[in-house]
Structure formats: structure tokens, C-alpha cells
Amino acid sequence: MKKSAGIVAYKIIDNQIYVFLAHMGGPYWEGVNTWSILKGEHNKKEKIIDTAIREFQEECGVKVEFQNLSYLHSEKQSKNKLVVFFTGEAEIDSNNCFSNTFPLEWPKGSGNIQEFPEMDEYRWFPIEEAKKIILRGQRKSLIKLKRVLEEKYEL
């Protein structure tokens, strides 16, 4: 089974939880208001937590120092994929983020290969707003994070 790992970055402002999400790049996601936790494929040569940190930093282009980095939960995303989610408190300036790119034939069937950013926008969202726009398969991560933080910080 393939594994991926990601980090749900959060911060608390005035007793409100904010989460850091990214919008997927490329022509298929253009104009679609669906956002994602930064995550990526696990390299079996590294610890799963190291994969999560590496993927987060690759996808947002900046080094991030996480506080209270810990395991959140694991979620089977398909028959062949398990995603391991961690969480950590961080301060990230979304204006400084930039993504790596990927090649894609576009328009499809044209033979024209173009480079697109893996992620094209980054933003902090109040957790309730984030639950409405995050990929459906990742919504449980936000619900779990909210429960953990409400208990920990008595929010």
C-alpha cells in the first residue's frame, strides 16, 4: 500500500483556530474552490514524520519551524493509499510561499507540454471555513484537530 504524509499547520488567534491550506495548481483545479493540506508521497528510506516535513516545505517553498509537532491520525484515501497526518503550530507568511512545478500535456492531446505549479495559492482559514472548502477526504483531519485543540487549550 502506498503511503503519503502531511502536516495540518495551525495557529490560534483570539481563541480561534486557523489552518494553513493550499490550492492545487494546474488547469484541472483552475476556478475550483477546493483546498488541500500540504502532503506528499512517503519515501521508504525516511521516517514518515520526515516525509511530512519535507513535503510540506517542498510544496510551500519555505522552511517552516513547527511547534508541538505530533501525530494526528491516519486516513485510508483509496484502496491503495494511506495518508498519515501530523499537526503542528506554525507561523507562515503565505505571501512568501511558492510551489514546485510539474509537467503536463495541455491542452490534452495537443502534444504541448507545459509546466504548472503543484500549488498555486496559500492561505490561512478559520477552521470552520476550511472544513467547507477542503478536499472531502481530508475533512476528518480538521474535525479531529479541532477536538484535540479545543481540549488542549480549552477553546
Side-chain angles (χ1 to χ4, degrees):
M1 177 179 288
K2 290 183 181 180
K3 279 187 184 177
S4 287
I7 299 174
V8 185
Y10 72 89
K11 64 182 177 180
I12 299 172
I13 301 172
D14 296 329
N15 286 332
Q16 187 169 1
I17 303 165
Y18 287 79
V19 292
F20 188 79
L21 301 178
H23 185 267
M24 287 75 64
Y28 299 117
W29 294 100
E30 193 173 324
V32 178
N33 189 29
T34 303
W35 295 69
S36 178
I37 295 166
L38 297 169
K39 63 178 186 54
E41 196 166 328
H42 174 55
N43 175 343
K44 294 177 182 171
K45 295 177 184 175
E46 64 188 353
K47 293 179 183 177
I48 194 80
I49 185 77
D50 294 334
T51 295
I53 294 167
R54 176 182 50 78
E55 285 292 337
F56 192 99
Q57 294 181 161
E58 281 179 9
E59 291 191 352
C60 76
V62 296
K63 185 170 174 38
V64 178
E65 297 293 331
F66 291 98
Q67 304 299 315
N68 306 315
L69 189 60
S70 61
Y71 172 79
L72 183 62
H73 77 121
S74 298
E75 182 75 26
K76 195 171 180 182
Q77 298 283 302
S78 67
K79 288 182 181 179
N80 300 331
K81 190 173 189 179
L82 178 72
V83 183
V84 180
F85 291 101
F86 296 89
T87 188
E89 192 168 1
E91 191 54 55
I92 305 163
D93 183 348
S94 59
N95 295 315
N96 291 335
C97 294
F98 63 93
S99 178
N100 48 353
T101 61
F102 67 94
L104 178 70
E105 180 185 24
W106 191 258
K108 192 172 181 162
S110 69
N112 184 23
I113 304 297
Q114 296 184 47
E115 288 285 322
F116 293 96
E118 193 169 337
M119 301 295 178
D120 62 12
E121 191 176 349
Y122 305 85
R123 201 181 305 165
W124 286 100
F125 291 95
I127 197 163
E128 292 304 321
E129 183 181 343
K131 283 196 253 180
K132 296 174 187 173
I133 59 170
I134 198 166
L135 288 165
R136 186 177 306 134
Q138 296 177 3
R139 197 169 292 137
K140 282 184 186 178
S141 296
L142 299 186
I143 293 166
K144 176 111 175 134
L145 175 66
K146 185 178 180 192
R147 270 192 239 126
V148 167
L149 293 178
E150 284 178 340
E151 186 176 303
K152 182 176 181 176
Y153 294 105
E154 297 180 8
L155 300 174

